[in-house]
Amino acid sequence: MNPSRCLVPILLVIYLGLLFSCSTKSKSPTAPCIVFNDTICHLSLSKDHPRDSFDFVYSNAGDKKLAIYSVDPSCHCLTAKFEQKLLAKGESSYIRIYFDATNEHGTEFWRTLDVYTNARKEPYTLEVEGTME
């Protein structure tokens, strides 16, 4: 068998592997990068105390300043407050959510919040789950 005939397919596989790995790399290190301490919040509520709040703490792990554009809850029973400021690398802040289960029926609930930032096009999804006792 001719060694040059084996070398061409091997080089092609190596080239395609390198090409694929470069195309799937994350954004450049100068981009903002949001990191949440928690992406799921669990609340235990009762008929006597149907309201609660929680802080989703986040920080900027990227080099470029991070901005949160909006936070969109999936239900009217869930609201969110956050500071609209730019976070430099290493800085932290929070999104405070308020959940009102006064009109909830059943014993378990699950809601989401979509967080839109300048870190990526798709929103980050935070979850609020819990029980009514």
Side-chain angles (χ1 to χ4, degrees), residues 2 12 14-16 18 20 36 51 76 78-79 83 89-90 94-95 102 108 113 116 118 128 130 132:
N2 186 349
L12 181 62
I14 292 171
Y15 172 74
L16 290 175
L18 289 172
F20 179 74
F36 287 95
R51 296 178 189 92
H76 66 280
L78 186 61
T79 57
E83 290 183 311
K89 180 179 183 173
Y94 60 91
I95 300 169
T102 303
E108 296 180 356
L113 298 110
Y116 294 89
N118 65 338
V128 178
M132 284 290 292

Side-chain angles (χ1 to χ4, degrees), residues 40-77:
I40 300 174
C41 156
H42 184 81
L43 302 175
S44 289
L45 305 174
S46 68
K47 296 290 181 189
D48 295 333
H49 301 286
R51 296 178 189 92
D52 204 354
S53 64
F54 181 83
D55 290 343
F56 284 103
V57 177
Y58 64 92
S59 60
N60 181 8
D63 291 330
K64 189 175 177 185
K65 291 193 178 207
L66 172 69
I68 291 185
Y69 299 133
S70 67
V71 178
D72 297 333
S74 64
C75 177
H76 66 280
C77 58

